[in-house]
Each structure stands twice: as C-alpha cells, then as structure tokens.
Amino acid sequence: MKFKTLGLAVLFAIAGNPDLAKGAHSLQKHWQFGAGYGPSYARLGIQLKKTLPFMGKGRLGGWAALGINYLPTYAVGLDFYIVENLYLSLGFGTVGTYERLGIDRASATLPLTYYTRSGYTGTLNYDIFFNKNWGLKVGLGYSLASYTEDVSPILQQFNLGLIYAFEEF
C-alpha cells in the first residue's frame, strides 16, 4: 500500500497538476483543445472539450472531435470524472475502418474499398499536466461497432494525445 501511494506521489510530482494559484485553468470549469489518436480524437484528429461542475464537486465534460482514417471521421461524447484527472469517457463515432476487395468486371480489376466503422466506445483516460496548461491524455478501452459485416464488432482502443487546457475564449 505504501508503494502504491508513493508511486502516485512520484507521478504527480513529475507530471504535475494544473497550478490554480498561478492563473492556470480551473479544474471545475475549463475548455480543452487536443490533437492525437484514438476514439476521443475520431481516430487521428482534433478534439474540443468543455468541462463543467456536476453534482457539487464532481465534473462532467462534453466533447466533439473531427479526424481522418482513410475517410473523414467524427466522434462525440461525455466524460465522467472519477477523481481529479481520471475519467470514464463514453462516446459515439468512428471506431475504425475496414477494407474490402471488390471485383470490377468491366475493367477486370480488383479495387480495394475502405469503409468506416461507427459505434459506441468507452475508455478510461488520465490527463497528465506538464505545466499549468499543457498535458498528455492517455487512455485504454473498448468499442462496439454497429455494422461490421464479417469482422469482429468488439475492438480494443487507446487514446494518446497532446492537450491544452484554458479558462474561456
């Protein structure tokens, strides 16, 4: 138990948390802009998130993302904060792509066609702040694709991205 507490203390000391006394963003109410890879970024893309107070000292975040993964992609979702920078993210959007080899008899070719896979996703994320505004988002989770033809509907997911948190526009 002591090692776990010590490990968390070292993690916070190295990564840091937003310094509220020096004009950084408020943990209860702020915006985040991020760029990265994963379901929270619509595969490879950008995300805009607004965090608001929820039921007293809790927090809730709403976000939207646009990206690309062979085709344009999208995602929207909600973040439910468990503790300070650890949260469960539930979303809907593009969870992956798959390819299909077709037959074009007119030109006697075998074209490769890409299709997006939309579905629901759930990831457990943690924001590690390096200074008062800049940080790194890391997360792991699963998604359930709504239309998959003959490929597995359950996909493992991860989020990795650079984030910038700020008060208001």
Side-chain angles (χ1 to χ4, degrees):
M1 188 63 150
K2 288 182 182 179
F3 291 107
K4 185 177 181 181
T5 306
L6 180 62
L8 287 174
V10 169
L11 176 67
F12 283 120
I14 293 171
N17 281 322
D19 186 355
L20 302 180
K22 294 186 179 176
H25 68 279
S26 161
L27 286 176
Q28 282 290 99
K29 182 180 173 187
H30 67 273
W31 288 89
Q32 270 188 19
F33 178 77
Y37 181 82
S40 292
Y41 298 103
R43 309 315 307 144
L44 180 62
I46 58 172
Q47 178 197 65
L48 183 64
K49 177 167 89 170
K50 174 68 173 168
T51 302
L52 295 169
F54 179 68
M55 296 179 69
K57 293 187 177 184
R59 286 187 295 157
L60 177 71
W63 54 268
L66 294 173
I68 192 155
N69 192 26
Y70 297 110
L71 301 167
T73 57
Y74 71 95
V76 294
L78 293 174
D79 292 343
F80 300 93
Y81 283 79
I82 301 164
V83 293
E84 197 165 304
N85 289 327
L86 179 69
Y87 54 94
L88 175 65
S89 184
L90 302 175
F92 178 81
T94 305
V95 295
T97 58
Y98 66 98
E99 53 193 40
R100 213 22 110 218
L101 189 61
I103 298 174
D104 185 355
R105 292 190 174 117
S107 63
T109 61
L110 299 172
L112 190 60
T113 307
Y114 295 96
Y115 299 93
T116 60
R117 299 174 72 181
S118 294
Y120 301 94
T121 190
T123 57
L124 188 63
N125 297 305
Y126 189 77
D127 292 343
I128 303 166
F129 284 93
F130 301 115
N131 65 21
K132 58 185 177 181
N133 296 97
W134 289 97
L136 183 71
K137 175 192 295 208
V138 294
L140 293 171
Y142 288 94
S143 64
L144 177 64
S146 57
Y147 178 72
T148 60
E149 289 190 15
D150 60 346
V151 292
S152 173
I154 298 174
L155 304 165
Q156 293 180 356
Q157 300 285 354
F158 73 93
N159 284 319
L160 181 62
L162 183 65
I163 56 175
Y164 180 77
F166 54 97
E167 283 293 331
E168 299 293 332
F169 286 111

